[in-house]
Amino acid sequence: APPAGAAPLIPPAGVTNQTREPVRESPRESARETPARPAAARTGVMIQVGASDDQAKANALLAKARAQGRGLLASAQPFTEKVQKGRETLWRARFAGLDESRAEAACKALKRSGVACFTTRN
C-alpha cells in the first residue's frame, strides 16, 4: 500500500490489473510451461471451468475438465489467469483455441459429467 498521503498509482491507458500465468500440469512437469496466455486465446471462444484462490487448485480444475472432456478438449490450450478483485486474488481455469461450436459442445459434455463451465468470447 502507498504511504499515507501519497497519490494513488494510476496505470497507463490500456494496462489492466490482470496477469496471465502459465499452467503447470503437475510438479513433475513444472519445467515445461505453456505460454502465459496462448496465442489462440487472443481471438475466438474460451471455456472457463472454474476459479480458485489458489493456482494449484485451478490447475486441478483444468486436469479434471480435460479428463472429463471426452477428447473434446484435446486440441484446446489450458491456462490459468490471475485476476485481482479488490483484495482478493483469483485464478481462472480456462481453455483456449476452440471455435464457437466446439467450445459449446465441450461445455455441454462437461456439464453432463458434473463439471461446471461456461464459454466466453475473448
Side-chain angles (χ1 to χ4, degrees):
L9 296 177
I10 300 173
V15 175
T16 68
N17 63 350
Q18 295 182 357
T19 304
R20 275 50 163 165
E21 298 291 331
V23 171
R24 293 194 173 101
E25 295 291 330
S26 72
R28 288 176 282 156
E29 297 175 341
S30 63
R32 183 187 63 114
E33 295 180 354
T34 58
R37 185 163 193 190
R42 295 182 191 133
T43 60
V45 179
M46 294 183 288
I47 296 174
Q48 182 167 320
V49 294
S52 175
D53 62 352
D54 180 76
Q55 187 178 18
K57 290 177 186 175
N59 285 329
L61 291 170
L62 291 170
K64 178 182 177 185
R66 175 130 5 228
Q68 297 294 322
R70 296 187 174 91
L72 292 170
L73 296 173
S75 65
Q77 299 168 328
F79 68 101
T80 60
E81 181 177 48
K82 182 179 179 181
V83 292
Q84 265 328 110
K85 297 284 186 179
R87 293 182 183 186
E88 187 178 14
T89 300
L90 292 175
W91 297 89
R92 293 176 177 158
R94 292 182 161 184
F95 289 91
L98 299 169
D99 63 32
E100 187 170 0
S101 62
R102 192 155 178 92
E104 291 290 339
C107 200
K108 190 180 229 182
L110 288 170
K111 287 178 182 177
R112 282 193 303 262
S113 298
V115 177
C117 70
F118 64 88
T119 60
T120 182
R121 289 202 181 280
N122 187 22

